[in-house]
Amino acid sequence: DSLLKDKTIKTALVFTRTKHGADRVVKALLKENIKAEAIHGNKSQNARQKALSNFKDQSTRVLVATDIAARGIDVDDLAFVINYEMSNIAETYVHRIGRTGRAGAKGTAISFVDADEKAYLKDIEKLINKKISVVLDHPFPLLNNNPVKKTVQQKPAKKENSQSKNNKKPFHKGFRKQK
């Protein structure tokens, strides 16, 4: 939301991976007095069309969408696309950012990348054959808040055979131990 406090950003299309995520982002933006609406599969067709219409006429400043619900959205002069959550499919990222900077207009795509999404970024760079610049000087450093849990694999217990049990060689039946 601090990014969207910049008044030079007239409108922004924000992408999330899930319907629940879209609703959560809208709720957070509304708390900050940033007019936002969500479009996703749980919304009726009328609600999605109304939200898109409000976004196009700029009465809604931020439209938060899932990838499926955003298909077919065509907004003239869309200057900002924000990936709140990186897509786990590189082609989807290209589809998302392709909504800005159309027909020679300027456009900016901003992506937030969490520690567990770094692999998605590498996949995207590989697909587009281009390094995406990373902004390191900002108030939200990349923290590994969701570390992968290390698993310790238990080694199976060794099967003991009669020879290793006492670490002694068995006596041959024909021999007796001398005293």
Side-chain angles (χ1 to χ4, degrees):
D1 60 11
S2 65
L3 175 69
L4 293 171
K5 288 180 180 176
D6 180 352
K7 298 296 181 192
T8 62
I9 299 176
K10 299 271 187 244
T11 59
L13 178 56
V14 175
F15 283 99
T16 63
R17 281 195 300 264
T18 65
K19 300 171 208 173
H20 178 69
D23 289 337
R24 209 173 49 236
V25 169
V26 167
K27 187 176 179 180
L29 291 172
L30 291 174
K31 276 186 180 177
E32 295 296 323
N33 294 317
I34 297 170
K35 181 85 167 105
E37 292 184 73
I39 58 170
H40 53 67
N42 284 1
K43 303 275 185 178
S44 70
Q45 182 65 26
N46 283 344
R48 289 193 303 260
Q49 286 175 332
K50 185 174 183 339
L52 182 57
S53 177
N54 290 344
F55 183 66
K56 285 182 176 184
D57 70 18
Q58 297 185 3
S59 60
T60 294
R61 186 166 167 232
V62 180
L63 185 63
V64 183
T66 58
D67 295 309
I68 303 288
R71 292 185 189 266
I73 290 178
D74 189 19
V75 179
D76 293 333
D77 300 322
L78 179 60
F80 288 90
V81 167
I82 300 171
N83 290 299
Y84 180 75
E85 296 170 313
M86 287 297 284
S87 174
N88 56 347
I89 301 166
E91 291 83 0
T92 301
Y93 170 85
V94 173
H95 183 73
R96 287 175 174 186
I97 67 165
R99 299 191 177 281
T100 186
R102 290 185 170 184
K106 288 187 178 183
T108 302
I110 300 169
S111 299
F112 295 102
V113 181
D114 200 1
D116 59 347
E117 297 174 325
K118 287 195 286 186
Y120 305 154
L121 182 61
K122 287 186 188 298
D123 290 343
I124 291 163
E125 290 175 333
K126 187 176 177 180
L127 176 70
I128 65 174
N129 199 26
K130 184 178 181 182
K131 190 83 172 148
I132 297 172
S133 60
V134 177
V135 176
L136 298 173
D137 184 28
H138 57 80
F140 306 101
L142 180 63
L143 300 174
N144 196 355
N145 291 327
N146 300 316
V148 176
K149 292 181 181 175
K150 291 183 180 178
T151 58
V152 178
Q153 185 176 6
Q154 295 283 333
K155 289 184 179 180
K158 282 187 176 180
K159 288 185 180 179
E160 292 188 26
N161 60 32
S162 61
Q163 285 188 347
S164 66
K165 198 173 199 177
N166 297 321
N167 210 13
K168 295 181 182 177
K169 292 184 181 178
F171 287 104
H172 190 277
K173 285 185 179 181
F175 293 99
R176 290 187 175 230
K177 189 174 181 183
Q178 299 277 329
K179 288 189 181 182

